[in-house]
Amino acid sequence: MTNEVTTFYERQSELVAHLLSARQLSLAQDAEQMLQKNLPLAAASYFEHLVTEALRGYVRLKSNGCDELISLFDQKAIKRQYHTLFEWEKSSNANRFWGLFGDAFKAVAVAEVAADPDLAQSIKDFLSIGELRNQIIHQNYVAYTSAKSAEEIFSLFQSAERFVTFARRKLA
């Protein structure tokens, strides 16, 4: 399925290929380096949007559409708090996120992930994108150089989509 991040990656990759075919090697290298920085930002932002929308939907469902509770949730749990939902740099799992919903919910989610190695890898890749985003933002953005190619980052994104789909389904 095509989404905004996939379209972004494809268009920027086409730009790099065009510059290479036109023998504009310095510009192609610059475009590739910008894609290596911008792709994790685009992917992380896209995932944040999907996860926070799923959380809002979950609160709407569980509160029977109570606008006051949804507003409270938005103001105190979501706005500028997304970064606290996961352990970006210390973890290879989403247990902090699952634990926010209580021990029973966490136990079920952890068991489902444990039974699916591809899903477990998807979570690692999701966290890698978030950590890469944090490195880019909190280090000198202009001077930042990624050790991963744009193709490798896009591969992480494609894998991480599985976790986000799973999380959204768990919250539906």
Short mmCIF file of all heavy atoms in Angstrom, two decimals, residues 40-99:
data_model
loop_
_atom_site.label_atom_id
_atom_site.label_comp_id
_atom_site.label_asym_id
_atom_site.label_seq_id
_atom_site.Cartn_x
_atom_site.Cartn_y
_atom_site.Cartn_z
N PRO A 40 14.01 9.48 7.84
CA PRO A 40 13.64 9.10 9.22
C PRO A 40 12.70 10.10 9.87
O PRO A 40 11.81 9.72 10.64
CB PRO A 40 14.98 9.06 9.96
CG PRO A 40 16.01 8.92 8.91
CD PRO A 40 15.47 9.60 7.69
N LEU A 41 12.86 11.39 9.55
CA LEU A 41 11.95 12.40 10.11
C LEU A 41 10.54 12.20 9.57
O LEU A 41 9.57 12.25 10.32
CB LEU A 41 12.45 13.81 9.77
CG LEU A 41 13.84 14.19 10.24
CD1 LEU A 41 14.16 15.63 9.86
CD2 LEU A 41 14.03 13.96 11.72
N ALA A 42 10.44 11.95 8.27
CA ALA A 42 9.14 11.73 7.66
C ALA A 42 8.49 10.47 8.22
O ALA A 42 7.29 10.46 8.56
CB ALA A 42 9.28 11.62 6.14
N ALA A 43 9.26 9.39 8.33
CA ALA A 43 8.72 8.13 8.83
C ALA A 43 8.28 8.26 10.29
O ALA A 43 7.19 7.82 10.65
CB ALA A 43 9.77 7.02 8.69
N ALA A 44 9.12 8.86 11.11
CA ALA A 44 8.78 9.02 12.54
C ALA A 44 7.55 9.90 12.72
O ALA A 44 6.67 9.59 13.53
CB ALA A 44 9.97 9.59 13.31
N SER A 45 7.45 10.95 11.95
CA SER A 45 6.29 11.84 12.02
C SER A 45 5.02 11.11 11.58
O SER A 45 3.96 11.23 12.22
CB SER A 45 6.53 13.06 11.14
OG SER A 45 5.41 13.90 11.11
N TYR A 46 5.12 10.35 10.52
CA TYR A 46 4.00 9.56 10.01
C TYR A 46 3.54 8.56 11.07
O TYR A 46 2.34 8.45 11.37
CB TYR A 46 4.45 8.86 8.74
CG TYR A 46 3.44 7.92 8.12
CD1 TYR A 46 2.30 8.40 7.49
CD2 TYR A 46 3.65 6.55 8.14
CE1 TYR A 46 1.39 7.53 6.90
CE2 TYR A 46 2.74 5.68 7.55
CZ TYR A 46 1.62 6.17 6.93
OH TYR A 46 0.72 5.31 6.35
N PHE A 47 4.48 7.85 11.67
CA PHE A 47 4.13 6.87 12.70
C PHE A 47 3.52 7.55 13.93
O PHE A 47 2.56 7.05 14.50
CB PHE A 47 5.35 6.06 13.12
CG PHE A 47 5.81 5.07 12.09
CD1 PHE A 47 7.14 4.71 12.00
CD2 PHE A 47 4.92 4.48 11.19
CE1 PHE A 47 7.59 3.78 11.07
CE2 PHE A 47 5.34 3.55 10.24
CZ PHE A 47 6.68 3.20 10.18
N GLU A 48 4.07 8.70 14.31
CA GLU A 48 3.50 9.43 15.45
C GLU A 48 2.05 9.79 15.19
O GLU A 48 1.19 9.63 16.06
CB GLU A 48 4.31 10.70 15.74
CG GLU A 48 3.76 11.50 16.89
CD GLU A 48 4.61 12.72 17.24
OE1 GLU A 48 5.71 12.88 16.71
OE2 GLU A 48 4.14 13.52 18.09
N HIS A 49 1.77 10.25 13.99
CA HIS A 49 0.40 10.59 13.63
C HIS A 49 -0.52 9.38 13.74
O HIS A 49 -1.60 9.45 14.34
CB HIS A 49 0.35 11.18 12.21
CG HIS A 49 -1.02 11.40 11.70
ND1 HIS A 49 -1.82 12.44 12.13
CD2 HIS A 49 -1.77 10.69 10.83
CE1 HIS A 49 -2.99 12.37 11.53
NE2 HIS A 49 -2.99 11.31 10.74
N LEU A 50 -0.10 8.24 13.18
CA LEU A 50 -0.93 7.04 13.20
C LEU A 50 -1.15 6.52 14.62
O LEU A 50 -2.27 6.14 14.99
CB LEU A 50 -0.30 5.94 12.35
CG LEU A 50 -0.25 6.18 10.85
CD1 LEU A 50 0.45 5.03 10.14
CD2 LEU A 50 -1.64 6.40 10.26
N VAL A 51 -0.09 6.50 15.41
CA VAL A 51 -0.21 5.98 16.78
C VAL A 51 -1.07 6.90 17.63
O VAL A 51 -1.95 6.43 18.38
CB VAL A 51 1.19 5.76 17.41
CG1 VAL A 51 1.08 5.45 18.90
CG2 VAL A 51 1.92 4.63 16.68
N THR A 52 -0.87 8.21 17.55
CA THR A 52 -1.67 9.12 18.38
C THR A 52 -3.14 9.11 17.94
O THR A 52 -4.02 9.20 18.79
CB THR A 52 -1.11 10.56 18.38
OG1 THR A 52 -1.01 11.05 17.04
CG2 THR A 52 0.26 10.60 19.05
N GLU A 53 -3.40 8.97 16.66
CA GLU A 53 -4.79 8.85 16.21
C GLU A 53 -5.41 7.56 16.75
O GLU A 53 -6.58 7.56 17.15
CB GLU A 53 -4.88 8.92 14.69
CG GLU A 53 -4.69 10.31 14.13
CD GLU A 53 -5.73 11.29 14.64
OE1 GLU A 53 -6.94 11.00 14.56
OE2 GLU A 53 -5.33 12.37 15.13
N ALA A 54 -4.66 6.49 16.76
CA ALA A 54 -5.17 5.22 17.31
C ALA A 54 -5.45 5.36 18.80
O ALA A 54 -6.45 4.85 19.31
CB ALA A 54 -4.17 4.09 17.06
N LEU A 55 -4.57 6.07 19.50
CA LEU A 55 -4.79 6.28 20.94
C LEU A 55 -6.04 7.12 21.19
O LEU A 55 -6.83 6.82 22.09
CB LEU A 55 -3.56 6.95 21.57
CG LEU A 55 -2.33 6.07 21.69
CD1 LEU A 55 -1.11 6.90 22.06
CD2 LEU A 55 -2.56 4.95 22.69
N ARG A 56 -6.23 8.16 20.40
CA ARG A 56 -7.45 8.97 20.53
C ARG A 56 -8.69 8.13 20.27
O ARG A 56 -9.69 8.24 20.98
CB ARG A 56 -7.41 10.15 19.57
CG ARG A 56 -6.55 11.28 20.02
CD ARG A 56 -6.64 12.47 19.06
NE ARG A 56 -5.61 13.42 19.41
CZ ARG A 56 -4.41 13.47 18.82
NH1 ARG A 56 -4.12 12.65 17.83
NH2 ARG A 56 -3.52 14.36 19.21
N GLY A 57 -8.62 7.30 19.24
CA GLY A 57 -9.74 6.42 18.94
C GLY A 57 -10.02 5.44 20.06
O GLY A 57 -11.19 5.17 20.39
N TYR A 58 -8.97 4.94 20.69
CA TYR A 58 -9.11 4.02 21.81
C TYR A 58 -9.80 4.71 22.99
O TYR A 58 -10.74 4.15 23.58
CB TYR A 58 -7.73 3.51 22.21
CG TYR A 58 -7.73 2.48 23.31
CD1 TYR A 58 -8.08 1.17 23.05
CD2 TYR A 58 -7.34 2.82 24.60
CE1 TYR A 58 -8.06 0.20 24.06
CE2 TYR A 58 -7.31 1.87 25.61
CZ TYR A 58 -7.67 0.56 25.34
OH TYR A 58 -7.64 -0.37 26.34
N VAL A 59 -9.37 5.92 23.28
CA VAL A 59 -10.00 6.67 24.37
C VAL A 59 -11.44 7.00 24.02
O VAL A 59 -12.34 6.90 24.87
CB VAL A 59 -9.19 7.95 24.70
CG1 VAL A 59 -9.95 8.86 25.66
CG2 VAL A 59 -7.83 7.57 25.29
N ARG A 60 -11.69 7.37 22.78
CA ARG A 60 -13.07 7.66 22.36
C ARG A 60 -13.94 6.42 22.53
O ARG A 60 -15.04 6.50 23.07
CB ARG A 60 -13.08 8.12 20.89
CG ARG A 60 -14.47 8.46 20.38
CD ARG A 60 -14.46 9.09 19.01
NE ARG A 60 -13.69 10.31 18.91
CZ ARG A 60 -14.04 11.50 19.38
NH1 ARG A 60 -15.18 11.64 20.02
NH2 ARG A 60 -13.27 12.55 19.24
N LEU A 61 -13.43 5.26 22.13
CA LEU A 61 -14.17 4.01 22.25
C LEU A 61 -14.43 3.66 23.71
O LEU A 61 -15.57 3.38 24.11
CB LEU A 61 -13.39 2.88 21.57
CG LEU A 61 -13.99 1.49 21.68
CD1 LEU A 61 -15.25 1.39 20.82
CD2 LEU A 61 -12.96 0.45 21.22
N LYS A 62 -13.40 3.68 24.52
CA LYS A 62 -13.51 3.27 25.92
C LYS A 62 -14.30 4.26 26.77
O LYS A 62 -14.87 3.88 27.79
CB LYS A 62 -12.12 3.06 26.54
CG LYS A 62 -11.35 1.90 25.94
CD LYS A 62 -12.05 0.59 26.21
CE LYS A 62 -11.27 -0.59 25.68
NZ LYS A 62 -11.86 -1.87 26.02
N SER A 63 -14.33 5.52 26.35
CA SER A 63 -15.07 6.54 27.12
C SER A 63 -16.47 6.78 26.55
O SER A 63 -17.14 7.71 26.98
CB SER A 63 -14.30 7.85 27.14
OG SER A 63 -14.34 8.49 25.87
N ASN A 64 -16.88 5.95 25.60
CA ASN A 64 -18.16 6.14 24.93
C ASN A 64 -18.29 7.52 24.32
O ASN A 64 -19.34 8.15 24.38
CB ASN A 64 -19.33 5.84 25.88
CG ASN A 64 -19.40 4.38 26.24
OD1 ASN A 64 -19.25 3.52 25.38
ND2 ASN A 64 -19.61 4.10 27.52
N GLY A 65 -17.18 8.01 23.74
CA GLY A 65 -17.21 9.29 23.04
C GLY A 65 -17.26 10.50 23.93
O GLY A 65 -17.68 11.57 23.48
N CYS A 66 -16.84 10.38 25.16
CA CYS A 66 -16.88 11.51 26.10
C CYS A 66 -15.85 12.57 25.69
O CYS A 66 -14.64 12.39 25.85
CB CYS A 66 -16.60 11.02 27.52
SG CYS A 66 -16.59 12.35 28.74
N ASP A 67 -16.35 13.69 25.17
CA ASP A 67 -15.48 14.75 24.67
C ASP A 67 -14.57 15.32 25.77
O ASP A 67 -13.42 15.67 25.49
CB ASP A 67 -16.30 15.88 24.05
CG ASP A 67 -16.90 15.49 22.71
OD1 ASP A 67 -16.32 14.60 22.03
OD2 ASP A 67 -17.94 16.06 22.34
N GLU A 68 -15.06 15.38 26.99
CA GLU A 68 -14.25 15.92 28.08
C GLU A 68 -13.04 15.02 28.37
O GLU A 68 -11.92 15.50 28.55
CB GLU A 68 -15.08 16.09 29.36
CG GLU A 68 -16.20 17.13 29.26
CD GLU A 68 -17.49 16.59 28.62
OE1 GLU A 68 -17.57 15.40 28.30
OE2 GLU A 68 -18.41 17.40 28.45
N LEU A 69 -13.26 13.70 28.40
CA LEU A 69 -12.15 12.77 28.63
C LEU A 69 -11.18 12.75 27.46
O LEU A 69 -9.97 12.68 27.65
CB LEU A 69 -12.67 11.36 28.91
CG LEU A 69 -13.28 11.15 30.29
CD1 LEU A 69 -13.84 9.74 30.41
CD2 LEU A 69 -12.25 11.40 31.37
N ILE A 70 -11.71 12.84 26.27
CA ILE A 70 -10.85 12.88 25.08
C ILE A 70 -9.99 14.14 25.11
O ILE A 70 -8.79 14.09 24.83
CB ILE A 70 -11.69 12.78 23.80
CG1 ILE A 70 -12.38 11.41 23.74
CG2 ILE A 70 -10.84 13.03 22.56
CD1 ILE A 70 -13.50 11.33 22.74
N SER A 71 -10.58 15.24 25.45
CA SER A 71 -9.83 16.50 25.55
C SER A 71 -8.77 16.42 26.64
O SER A 71 -7.62 16.84 26.42
CB SER A 71 -10.78 17.66 25.84
OG SER A 71 -10.06 18.86 25.96
N LEU A 72 -9.12 15.89 27.79
CA LEU A 72 -8.15 15.72 28.87
C LEU A 72 -6.99 14.82 28.40
O LEU A 72 -5.82 15.14 28.61
CB LEU A 72 -8.82 15.11 30.11
CG LEU A 72 -7.89 14.77 31.27
CD1 LEU A 72 -7.31 16.04 31.87
CD2 LEU A 72 -8.65 13.96 32.31
N PHE A 73 -7.34 13.73 27.77
CA PHE A 73 -6.33 12.81 27.24
C PHE A 73 -5.41 13.53 26.25
O PHE A 73 -4.18 13.42 26.33
CB PHE A 73 -7.02 11.62 26.57
CG PHE A 73 -6.07 10.67 25.93
CD1 PHE A 73 -5.36 9.76 26.70
CD2 PHE A 73 -5.89 10.67 24.56
CE1 PHE A 73 -4.47 8.87 26.10
CE2 PHE A 73 -5.01 9.79 23.96
CZ PHE A 73 -4.30 8.89 24.73
N ASP A 74 -6.01 14.27 25.33
CA ASP A 74 -5.20 15.01 24.35
C ASP A 74 -4.26 15.99 25.03
O ASP A 74 -3.08 16.07 24.69
CB ASP A 74 -6.11 15.80 23.40
CG ASP A 74 -6.43 15.05 22.13
OD1 ASP A 74 -5.80 14.02 21.85
OD2 ASP A 74 -7.32 15.53 21.39
N GLN A 75 -4.79 16.74 25.99
CA GLN A 75 -4.00 17.79 26.63
C GLN A 75 -2.89 17.25 27.54
O GLN A 75 -1.81 17.82 27.59
CB GLN A 75 -4.91 18.72 27.45
CG GLN A 75 -5.94 19.47 26.64
CD GLN A 75 -5.31 20.40 25.62
OE1 GLN A 75 -4.37 21.12 25.91
NE2 GLN A 75 -5.82 20.38 24.41
N LYS A 76 -3.16 16.19 28.24
CA LYS A 76 -2.21 15.71 29.25
C LYS A 76 -1.44 14.45 28.87
O LYS A 76 -0.40 14.17 29.46
CB LYS A 76 -2.93 15.48 30.59
CG LYS A 76 -3.41 16.78 31.22
CD LYS A 76 -2.23 17.66 31.53
CE LYS A 76 -2.63 18.97 32.15
NZ LYS A 76 -1.49 19.84 32.39
N ALA A 77 -1.94 13.70 27.92
CA ALA A 77 -1.27 12.43 27.61
C ALA A 77 -0.67 12.39 26.20
O ALA A 77 0.24 11.60 25.97
CB ALA A 77 -2.25 11.28 27.78
N ILE A 78 -1.16 13.20 25.30
CA ILE A 78 -0.70 13.11 23.92
C ILE A 78 0.14 14.31 23.48
O ILE A 78 1.23 14.13 22.98
CB ILE A 78 -1.89 12.92 22.96
CG1 ILE A 78 -2.50 11.54 23.17
CG2 ILE A 78 -1.48 13.07 21.51
CD1 ILE A 78 -1.58 10.39 22.81
N LYS A 79 -0.37 15.50 23.67
CA LYS A 79 0.35 16.67 23.16
C LYS A 79 1.75 16.73 23.74
O LYS A 79 1.95 16.78 24.95
CB LYS A 79 -0.41 17.95 23.47
CG LYS A 79 -1.59 18.14 22.57
CD LYS A 79 -2.17 19.51 22.67
CE LYS A 79 -3.33 19.62 21.71
NZ LYS A 79 -4.00 20.89 21.80
N ARG A 80 2.70 16.70 22.85
CA ARG A 80 4.13 16.77 23.20
C ARG A 80 4.58 15.66 24.15
O ARG A 80 5.57 15.80 24.85
CB ARG A 80 4.47 18.14 23.74
CG ARG A 80 4.25 19.24 22.73
CD ARG A 80 4.78 20.56 23.22
NE ARG A 80 4.55 21.57 22.21
CZ ARG A 80 3.63 22.51 22.32
NH1 ARG A 80 2.87 22.59 23.38
NH2 ARG A 80 3.49 23.39 21.37
N GLN A 81 3.87 14.56 24.20
CA GLN A 81 4.22 13.46 25.09
C GLN A 81 4.51 12.16 24.34
O GLN A 81 4.87 11.17 24.96
CB GLN A 81 3.08 13.22 26.10
CG GLN A 81 2.84 14.38 27.03
CD GLN A 81 4.06 14.70 27.87
OE1 GLN A 81 4.70 13.82 28.42
NE2 GLN A 81 4.41 15.97 27.93
N TYR A 82 4.34 12.15 23.05
CA TYR A 82 4.53 10.93 22.28
C TYR A 82 5.90 10.30 22.56
O TYR A 82 6.00 9.08 22.70
CB TYR A 82 4.38 11.24 20.79
CG TYR A 82 4.66 10.05 19.89
CD1 TYR A 82 3.73 9.04 19.74
CD2 TYR A 82 5.86 9.95 19.19
CE1 TYR A 82 3.97 7.95 18.92
CE2 TYR A 82 6.11 8.86 18.36
CZ TYR A 82 5.17 7.87 18.23
OH TYR A 82 5.43 6.79 17.42
N HIS A 83 6.91 11.13 22.68
CA HIS A 83 8.27 10.61 22.88
C HIS A 83 8.41 9.79 24.16
O HIS A 83 9.32 8.98 24.28
CB HIS A 83 9.29 11.75 22.87
CG HIS A 83 9.18 12.64 24.06
ND1 HIS A 83 8.21 13.62 24.17
CD2 HIS A 83 9.90 12.68 25.19
CE1 HIS A 83 8.35 14.23 25.34
NE2 HIS A 83 9.37 13.69 25.96
N THR A 84 7.49 9.96 25.09
CA THR A 84 7.57 9.22 26.36
C THR A 84 6.89 7.86 26.31
O THR A 84 6.98 7.08 27.27
CB THR A 84 6.96 10.04 27.51
OG1 THR A 84 5.55 10.17 27.29
CG2 THR A 84 7.60 11.41 27.64
N LEU A 85 6.20 7.55 25.23
CA LEU A 85 5.46 6.30 25.13
C LEU A 85 6.35 5.09 24.89
O LEU A 85 5.95 3.96 25.16
CB LEU A 85 4.42 6.38 24.00
CG LEU A 85 3.36 7.47 24.11
CD1 LEU A 85 2.45 7.43 22.88
CD2 LEU A 85 2.57 7.34 25.39
N PHE A 86 7.56 5.33 24.39
CA PHE A 86 8.47 4.25 24.03
C PHE A 86 9.86 4.53 24.61
O PHE A 86 10.22 5.67 24.84
CB PHE A 86 8.58 4.12 22.50
CG PHE A 86 7.28 3.83 21.82
CD1 PHE A 86 6.48 4.87 21.34
CD2 PHE A 86 6.84 2.53 21.68
CE1 PHE A 86 5.27 4.61 20.72
CE2 PHE A 86 5.62 2.26 21.05
CZ PHE A 86 4.85 3.30 20.57
N GLU A 87 10.62 3.47 24.80
CA GLU A 87 12.02 3.61 25.17
C GLU A 87 12.82 3.50 23.88
O GLU A 87 13.12 2.41 23.41
CB GLU A 87 12.43 2.50 26.15
CG GLU A 87 11.79 2.66 27.51
CD GLU A 87 12.23 1.57 28.47
OE1 GLU A 87 11.89 0.40 28.19
OE2 GLU A 87 12.91 1.90 29.45
N TRP A 88 13.16 4.64 23.32
CA TRP A 88 13.75 4.69 22.00
C TRP A 88 15.15 4.11 21.96
O TRP A 88 15.50 3.40 21.03
CB TRP A 88 13.76 6.12 21.47
CG TRP A 88 12.39 6.69 21.38
CD1 TRP A 88 11.84 7.64 22.19
CD2 TRP A 88 11.36 6.34 20.45
NE1 TRP A 88 10.54 7.89 21.80
CE2 TRP A 88 10.22 7.11 20.74
CE3 TRP A 88 11.29 5.44 19.38
CZ2 TRP A 88 9.04 7.03 20.01
CZ3 TRP A 88 10.12 5.34 18.66
CH2 TRP A 88 9.01 6.13 18.98
N GLU A 89 15.97 4.42 22.93
CA GLU A 89 17.37 4.04 22.81
C GLU A 89 17.79 2.85 23.65
O GLU A 89 18.83 2.27 23.42
CB GLU A 89 18.28 5.22 23.09
CG GLU A 89 17.99 5.92 24.41
CD GLU A 89 18.71 7.23 24.55
OE1 GLU A 89 18.59 8.07 23.65
OE2 GLU A 89 19.39 7.39 25.57
N LYS A 90 17.03 2.47 24.62
CA LYS A 90 17.44 1.42 25.54
C LYS A 90 16.74 0.09 25.32
O LYS A 90 17.02 -0.86 26.02
CB LYS A 90 17.17 1.86 26.98
CG LYS A 90 17.88 3.09 27.42
CD LYS A 90 17.44 3.46 28.82
CE LYS A 90 17.70 4.92 29.05
NZ LYS A 90 16.89 5.47 30.08
N SER A 91 15.85 0.03 24.39
CA SER A 91 14.97 -1.13 24.34
C SER A 91 14.89 -1.70 22.93
O SER A 91 15.13 -1.01 21.94
CB SER A 91 13.58 -0.71 24.81
OG SER A 91 12.73 -1.82 24.81
N SER A 92 14.51 -2.95 22.88
CA SER A 92 14.24 -3.59 21.60
C SER A 92 12.81 -4.13 21.57
O SER A 92 12.48 -5.00 20.77
CB SER A 92 15.24 -4.73 21.35
OG SER A 92 15.10 -5.71 22.36
N ASN A 93 11.99 -3.60 22.48
CA ASN A 93 10.60 -4.04 22.54
C ASN A 93 9.68 -2.86 22.86
O ASN A 93 10.16 -1.77 23.15
CB ASN A 93 10.42 -5.16 23.57
CG ASN A 93 10.80 -4.72 24.96
OD1 ASN A 93 10.27 -3.74 25.48
ND2 ASN A 93 11.72 -5.44 25.59
N ALA A 94 8.40 -3.09 22.78
CA ALA A 94 7.41 -2.04 23.03
C ALA A 94 6.74 -2.21 24.40
O ALA A 94 5.62 -1.74 24.61
CB ALA A 94 6.36 -2.04 21.92
N ASN A 95 7.42 -2.85 25.32
CA ASN A 95 6.81 -3.16 26.62
C ASN A 95 6.39 -1.92 27.40
O ASN A 95 5.38 -1.96 28.10
CB ASN A 95 7.75 -4.04 27.45
CG ASN A 95 7.89 -5.42 26.85
OD1 ASN A 95 7.20 -5.78 25.91
ND2 ASN A 95 8.81 -6.19 27.39
N ARG A 96 7.14 -0.83 27.29
CA ARG A 96 6.72 0.40 27.97
C ARG A 96 5.37 0.84 27.43
O ARG A 96 4.46 1.20 28.20
CB ARG A 96 7.74 1.52 27.78
CG ARG A 96 7.20 2.85 28.34
CD ARG A 96 8.09 4.01 28.03
NE ARG A 96 9.06 4.15 29.11
CZ ARG A 96 9.95 5.10 29.17
NH1 ARG A 96 10.06 5.98 28.20
NH2 ARG A 96 10.78 5.18 30.18
N PHE A 97 5.21 0.81 26.13
CA PHE A 97 3.95 1.21 25.50
C PHE A 97 2.82 0.30 25.94
O PHE A 97 1.77 0.78 26.39
CB PHE A 97 4.12 1.18 23.98
CG PHE A 97 2.88 1.56 23.22
CD1 PHE A 97 2.41 2.86 23.22
CD2 PHE A 97 2.18 0.61 22.48
CE1 PHE A 97 1.27 3.22 22.50
CE2 PHE A 97 1.05 0.95 21.76
CZ PHE A 97 0.60 2.26 21.78
N TRP A 98 3.02 -1.02 25.83
CA TRP A 98 1.97 -1.95 26.24
C TRP A 98 1.61 -1.78 27.71
O TRP A 98 0.44 -1.87 28.08
CB TRP A 98 2.37 -3.40 25.98
CG TRP A 98 2.78 -3.75 24.58
CD1 TRP A 98 3.90 -4.43 24.22
CD2 TRP A 98 2.08 -3.47 23.37
NE1 TRP A 98 3.94 -4.58 22.86
CE2 TRP A 98 2.83 -4.01 22.31
CE3 TRP A 98 0.88 -2.83 23.07
CZ2 TRP A 98 2.44 -3.93 20.98
CZ3 TRP A 98 0.49 -2.74 21.75
CH2 TRP A 98 1.26 -3.27 20.72
N GLY A 99 2.60 -1.53 28.54
CA GLY A 99 2.38 -1.40 29.98
C GLY A 99 1.51 -0.21 30.35
O GLY A 99 0.90 -0.21 31.42
#
